[in-house]
Amino acid sequence: MALSAGPIAAQSQIADVEDAASYDLFDPTERRAASELTASERLIEAMIEEEGVRYDVYRDVAGYPTVGVGHLLLPEDNLRVGDTISHERAMDFLESDIAKAEDIVVRLVGDLPINQHEFDALVDLAFNVGEGTLSADESPRLNRAIEAADYDRIADELNYTTAGNRVAKGLVYRSERRQRIFMASDYSDPREV
């Protein structure tokens, strides 16, 4: 997945029409193995809308150094608060972070079949809270709902609203959006509804 989003929206790119014909087209409401899915363009656009694109390294609501589209700095990034990155690097970080979140979801759901919008909601969750927060120890109800294949209970467990031990208004909206994506394939911003 190569992202070339402008500051407001992301676009997936297909090299040519022949490559497009080789893609397996399927009904997005059909449940399938998570390993067969990737984050949709609609999700990427929603994530960019939620996070914004920041080219200067800043501290997020929980105090973590962050840049690009919600990319938490890693030591190997060789950046610190106040540094500036290019748009291309911001999109590279996003592509890598989404790939990591997709892998987390595949491990999290195991053999549970899910459809595209359910996968997207879980990718957003993994991107936003990380794998440790989704572990059986940290999120036992979510893990039990997945084990029981209880899709309604899974949706109920997508509500993560705190950062730095405080409720963050932005995370309240993001959780609402995530639940709407999971339940109804509704990617719209709840602040605009």
Side-chain angles (χ1 to χ4, degrees):
M1 162 177 52
L3 300 176
S4 64
I8 297 176
Q11 297 178 13
S12 63
Q13 300 198 349
I14 299 173
D16 58 41
V17 176
E18 287 178 19
D19 285 343
S22 69
Y23 285 97
D24 179 29
L25 300 177
F26 62 92
D27 179 353
T29 63
E30 175 187 336
R31 287 197 167 117
R32 51 196 308 126
S35 61
E36 297 177 28
L37 300 170
T38 59
S40 73
E41 181 64 29
R42 291 174 71 193
L43 175 66
I44 295 168
E45 289 173 0
M47 291 171 73
I48 290 172
E49 188 175 70
E50 285 293 332
E51 296 278 353
V53 180
R54 301 270 306 261
Y55 303 107
D56 293 330
V57 179
Y58 65 99
R59 292 201 180 275
D60 70 6
V61 68
Y64 297 111
T66 306
V67 73
V69 183
H71 173 74
L72 296 180
L73 290 189
L74 303 170
E76 59 267 23
D77 295 335
N78 294 317
L79 294 167
R80 64 180 189 272
V81 173
D83 288 348
T84 301
I85 64 168
S86 68
H87 178 73
E88 182 177 283
R89 190 161 185 204
M91 293 302 104
D92 287 345
F93 283 148
L94 178 60
E95 184 174 340
S96 174
D97 292 344
I98 288 173
K100 288 175 190 172
E102 290 169 341
D103 290 343
I104 291 167
V105 171
V106 169
R107 286 190 298 277
L108 178 67
V109 302
D111 294 333
L112 179 71
I114 57 177
N115 61 35
Q116 182 66 55
H117 60 88
E118 292 164 342
F119 179 80
D120 283 348
L122 290 166
V123 166
D124 182 68
L125 178 64
F127 178 93
N128 200 229
V129 304
E131 188 164 22
T133 302
L134 300 179
S135 71
D137 290 339
E138 295 291 320
S139 296
R141 292 186 312 235
L142 174 62
N143 282 269
R144 283 194 303 268
I146 290 168
E147 288 172 19
D150 187 334
Y151 295 92
D152 291 334
R153 280 185 31 221
I154 294 170
D156 291 342
E157 296 303 320
L158 299 179
N159 190 18
Y160 286 76
T161 59
T162 59
N165 296 319
R166 295 186 339 242
V167 172
K169 187 79 167 164
L171 293 178
V172 171
Y173 289 121
R174 184 155 189 175
S175 289
E176 181 182 337
R177 184 181 221 173
R178 185 182 301 125
Q179 288 174 311
R180 290 168 48 178
I181 290 170
F182 190 91
M183 293 300 293
S185 190
D186 179 357
Y187 292 74
S188 64
D189 186 344
R191 291 166 279 229
E192 297 175 2
V193 176

